[in-house]
Amino acid sequence: MTGDQPHPAGPEEFGAARGAAVWAASQFGVEHAQAVLEGCAAIGRLTGTAGGIAQAGLLLAARIWLSQAIFVHQIMMMMRAEGFAETPSVGATLIRSIAPLLLATGLATRPVALLLVFGVGQDLSGTRMAGPQALLLVWLVIGGAGPLSLDYLLRSGLARVPIWTVRAIGRLYAWSDRFGDLALPFATRLYLSLAFAGGTGFAMWQVPFTGELVTAPWWTLMLCWALLVGVATRPVTLILWGLTPPIVLSSGTPDQFEVALLLLLLAAKGAGWLSVDGAAACWASTRLRMRDRTAESVPHVVVVGGGFGGIAAVRGLRWAACRITLVDRRNHYLFQPLLYQVATAALSPADIALPIRSVLRDQRNVTVRLGEVVGVDQNAREVILHSERIPFDYLILATGAQHSYFGRDEWSSHAPGLKSIEDATAMRSRMLLAFERAEAEGDAAKREAWLTFVVVGGGPTGVELAGALAELARRGLNQEYRAIDPGTARVILVQSAPRVLPTFSPVLSDRAEWSLRELGVEVRTGAKVTHIDHDGVEIDGGRIAARTTFWAAGVAASPAAKWLGQAGDKSGRVVVDDNLAAAGCPGVFAIGDTAASSAWAGAGVPGLAPAAKQQGRHTANVIRTAIEGHPAPRAFQYRHYGNLATIGRLAAVVEMSRLRIWGAPAWWLWGLAHVLLLAGGRNRTTVVLNWLWAYLTYRRGSRLITGNTTDA
């Protein structure tokens, strides 16, 4: 009986329970503090990103405002001058005339702003710009013109110019940027706080109804003190910005717009490191780094493939508490939609590709590994390369697609496809070599075979390739050969479906076919290729003598499904769930052409670049929420923005929802979209210049035959 009685708790038990409770409370407090720090850091990152975007627009507004002020001032000086003696000097007139244009476009902004700060080109009275105007110019001198400027577009290219003077100026600008992050916010806070406090006679307040002018009230002085020391700088600055209109400006001060612009610039940039806000942010980031370093390990995310989806996934994990390894068998990030232009000598390979390390050089949690993946060991959680194994906690397969010859792989040597830069340069060499062989051929039948080009496949790649081939033959090579007329070349497009561009609306398919025929392309729809060899192609039993055939008819997924032990769908793609996770493979995701997803309102997601990017960002969001211990995000839903395809000069088709465009407007829209989607300012500039040259002259400057010329 006594054994059933509860034993009274002694002091040891009470002490242990109290200690456990204190420990649990302390752990909860630490975790809560860490969560607060992480939340503040995330808010700070979002605010910094939004502030960077806002700062770019504000710097553009400041440049335009200053340029018009200088221009108007110059006009008034010219009107006020009486006689030759009072006319401004030639140098002053030249500076004041050119400065507005340079400031507005953001070209040579720092030198121009520096001349204006020192009063070069000042007016007849010798007075220089007032305080806020001068401070805005100092922002442009130290911090530069911002992203929305010509200086920013040219900067990355000029940094690689092998001239010591240019590179020295680039290093000086980089040092000025770092100095500006420290000095500009502090100087602006100092000036604005003193100005609003009435220390410069700037801020006077008008009493309602009576109109009496008084100095700033006590709560305004408190805001000025907070602005001076940098406490809650962004909210304080926005409050003062909201109070700017009621302030009566003294006669010696400029317009209210410049003061408001300075306040908004400070709100966008933040208080800087010389402030209480900067010290708090530094302390919080240090605490988070110490937590990461003292942790046993952080999750390791391995991304296989450096295409659209892989890069988007890596970018989406920029701020996640993880380390990333990106594995690709090539070292470059390729813009595949313009690959056909490399194959048809319109662009060079460097115009549409960037080194992956260059793309990700600013992301410190990424390691790039050059290698080819041959398998995945799910039990060991390792990615298998030829010479090593890479362990992973999360795996993203973005391995893209490869050519599919529908079981006739022997055709690949006679009809190469277009998936890589190597494919494009080989196709370019084969195409140009055909004209060279035709020039040297004396037999008429053999010459005709060399001048016959067959493109198999009527999708966007096939249509664009056939149109570019016909345009090159008829307009880009004229007067360059003596024995042949390149304009007589036959370009035949073979499509097994009833119409070309079957993913487009029938109206646009008809327009595309009409444009192809206008270029001289023979379009054969509803026709099937039954045989391809070295000397020609058989189509529905009929034979065409053609020494050059290109394949754009079908693609198949990479062997990623086999790596995971899955059967895959009919194209060999990995079947994924609503969050793009591979079935039966925890922590493994497939995106882009590797994944079979039905997230397009129940239909299959197309193998397009926007789809791969959306899937990459969603997968990164899924992994990031899992690392942070948050619930999984909503299921992935693909947003289709439209289809674009170009046929030739001023001929394209664009379909966006119910909007259908063809002809010249579609061609300009297609070009603009592709230029904006290119990676790197240098690539955008080079592509635009090459297109402009080709548009004006019909010439293509990348007509190089490389590799073994005996292959053809």
Side-chain angles (χ1 to χ4, degrees):
M1 295 290 293
T2 57
D4 296 332
Q5 298 295 325
H7 180 70
E12 295 82 1
E13 286 81 353
F14 279 116
R18 185 166 54 250
V22 171
W23 179 85
S26 64
Q27 287 298 110
F28 175 78
V30 169
E31 293 179 359
H32 184 69
Q34 295 289 358
V36 171
L37 284 179
E38 290 179 355
C40 292
I43 293 174
R45 289 192 294 267
L46 291 175
T47 305
T49 302
I53 298 173
Q55 184 180 345
L58 290 170
L59 287 174
L60 175 62
R63 299 197 324 265
I64 295 175
W65 176 263
L66 290 172
S67 62
Q68 65 85 25
I70 295 169
F71 181 75
V72 171
H73 186 67
Q74 174 68 15
I75 297 297
M76 295 183 65
M77 287 171 57
M78 300 292 292
M79 295 175 61
R80 197 175 61 192
E82 297 180 1
F84 182 78
E86 294 187 6
T87 303
S89 64
V90 176
T93 303
L94 184 63
I95 291 173
R96 290 277 180 169
S97 300
I98 297 177
L101 178 62
L102 296 178
L103 283 180
T105 58
L107 181 62
T109 307
R110 280 184 164 102
V112 171
L114 186 63
L115 291 175
L116 295 173
V117 167
F118 283 109
V120 178
Q122 61 190 11
D123 60 10
L124 298 174
S125 63
T127 57
R128 293 175 173 83
M129 289 191 171
Q133 286 183 336
L135 194 53
L136 284 174
L137 288 172
V138 170
W139 270 79
L140 298 178
V141 171
I142 299 178
L148 300 178
S149 65
L150 293 178
D151 286 345
Y152 187 83
L153 292 176
L154 298 174
R155 183 170 181 172
S156 59
L158 292 177
R160 297 178 175 87
V161 173
I163 301 176
W164 180 86
T165 306
V166 176
R167 302 185 73 171
I169 294 174
R171 288 193 293 268
L172 177 63
Y173 281 6
W175 178 87
S176 178
D177 290 340
R178 293 191 295 269
F179 177 72
D181 292 338
L182 186 70
L184 281 177
F186 175 74
T188 307
R189 291 189 349 255
L190 179 63
Y191 175 81
L192 290 175
S193 60
L194 292 176
F196 275 94
T200 61
F202 176 71
M204 298 290 290
W205 289 73
Q206 187 174 26
V207 177
F209 304 109
T210 65
E212 180 184 0
L213 297 179
V214 298
T215 57
W218 65 269
W219 52 269
T220 306
L221 296 178
M222 295 297 295
L223 292 176
C224 292
W225 274 109
L227 182 64
L228 180 63
V229 299
V231 175
T233 305
R234 284 189 166 99
V236 168
T237 305
L238 291 176
I239 292 173
L240 290 174
W241 172 75
L243 296 175
T244 301
I247 300 175
V248 177
L249 305 178
S250 60
S251 59
T253 58
D255 211 355
Q256 293 179 351
F257 179 78
E258 294 161 4
V259 180
L261 200 56
L262 281 172
L263 288 168
L264 291 177
L265 277 172
L266 186 59
K269 193 173 184 64
W273 294 111
L274 295 178
S275 64
V276 176
D277 290 346
C282 182
W283 176 82
S285 62
T286 303
R287 294 289 297 180
L288 288 175
R289 285 197 300 269
M290 290 176 60
R291 185 205 65 176
D292 292 339
R293 290 172 183 169
T294 55
E296 294 182 3
S297 64
V298 293
H300 185 202
V301 181
V302 176
V303 180
V304 182
F308 291 111
I311 294 296
V314 171
R315 286 296 196 187
L317 293 170
R318 171 188 284 270
W319 305 113
C322 64
R323 55 191 181 94
I324 308 167
T325 299
L326 174 64
V327 184
D328 199 291
R329 59 184 177 181
R330 294 180 176 86
N331 78 323
H332 52 264
Y333 169 63
L334 177 64
F335 189 73
Q336 280 195 352
L338 291 180
L339 198 57
Y340 82 96
Q341 296 216 353
V342 175
T344 54
L347 298 173
S348 68
D351 296 337
I352 63 169
L354 278 178
I356 294 176
R357 295 185 184 277
S358 176
V359 175
L360 301 175
R361 65 182 180 274
D362 297 330
Q363 190 167 339
R364 306 305 301 174
N365 64 339
V366 180
T367 299
V368 179
R369 188 70 56 86
L370 183 65
E372 184 174 2
V373 175
V374 295
V376 175
D377 189 340
Q378 295 190 65
N379 295 326
R381 307 286 289 178
E382 291 178 337
V383 174
I384 306 172
L385 280 69
H386 283 296
S387 58
E388 64 176 319
R389 288 172 170 249
I390 302 177
F392 67 85
D393 296 298
Y394 298 94
L395 174 62
I396 302 176
L397 297 173
T399 48
Q402 57 191 359
H403 309 300
S404 173
Y405 291 89
F406 307 109
R408 303 296 297 271
D409 292 341
E410 66 274 11
W411 293 354
S412 61
S413 60
H414 309 301
L418 189 61
K419 281 296 179 183
S420 65
I421 285 180
E422 293 84 357
D423 295 337
T425 54
M427 189 176 288
R428 181 185 65 190
S429 296
R430 184 181 289 243
M431 175 194 65
L432 296 174
L433 197 58
F435 290 102
E436 299 297 329
R437 294 287 189 262
E439 175 80 357
E441 183 59 61
D443 184 88
K446 293 181 179 179
R447 177 184 294 176
E448 184 180 353
W450 280 115
L451 290 176
T452 301
F453 301 86
V454 178
V455 179
V456 183
T461 301
V463 167
E464 292 172 345
L465 187 59
L469 263 171
E471 196 169 53
L472 174 66
R474 282 154 180 74
R475 298 174 180 175
L477 300 177
N478 59 331
Q479 299 182 357
E480 295 191 5
Y481 293 87
R482 302 297 175 258
I484 64 171
D485 178 11
T488 61
R490 293 179 65 194
V491 179
I492 303 171
L493 178 65
V494 183
Q495 166 71 333
S496 61
R499 57 188 176 93
V500 298
L501 299 178
T503 58
F504 287 70
S505 66
V507 174
L508 294 182
S509 294
D510 293 340
R511 296 297 305 185
E513 183 175 341
W514 179 85
S515 298
L516 286 169
R517 296 187 186 278
E518 283 291 302
L519 284 173
V521 178
E522 300 178 28
V523 181
R524 301 192 180 187
T525 56
K528 294 185 178 180
V529 175
T530 56
H531 183 72
I532 302 176
D533 56 31
H534 184 69
D535 297 318
V537 179
E538 291 183 6
I539 304 173
D540 290 336
R543 183 168 180 82
I544 297 175
R547 297 298 300 271
T548 308
T549 304
F550 297 135
W551 186 265
V555 295
S558 68
K562 296 180 181 178
W563 298 344
L564 302 178
Q566 292 189 0
D569 69 345
K570 62 180 182 180
S571 298
R573 298 176 298 178
V574 178
V575 179
V576 296
D577 61 13
D578 292 341
N579 277 325
L580 306 176
C585 304
V588 179
F589 301 86
I591 60 176
D593 291 330
T594 312
S597 171
S598 58
W600 187 11
V605 176
L608 302 174
K613 289 182 175 182
Q614 292 178 34
Q615 290 176 327
R617 289 191 289 265
H618 181 83
T619 303
N621 191 23
V622 172
I623 294 176
R624 186 173 60 253
T625 55
I627 292 174
E628 296 171 353
H630 298 156
R634 294 185 304 173
F636 172 71
Q637 288 294 327
Y638 168 63
R639 294 179 177 84
H640 187 64
Y641 298 111
N643 294 317
L644 303 93
T646 182
I647 297 95
R649 183 187 180 92
L650 298 179
V653 288
V654 173
E655 185 173 33
M656 296 182 294
S657 186
R658 297 182 180 180
L659 178 64
R660 298 179 177 90
I661 311 174
W662 58 83
W667 186 76
W668 288 107
L669 181 59
W670 174 92
L672 177 63
H674 283 71
V675 168
L676 293 177
L677 290 174
L678 273 171
R682 172 200 170 277
N683 285 12
R684 296 189 189 101
T685 304
T686 305
V687 168
V688 169
L689 291 177
N690 283 333
W691 283 351
L692 179 62
W693 175 257
Y695 183 81
L696 295 175
T697 66
Y698 290 98
R699 300 296 176 185
R700 305 191 180 197
S702 300
R703 301 202 322 263
L704 305 178
I705 298 176
T706 58
N708 187 1
T709 59
T710 63
D711 289 344

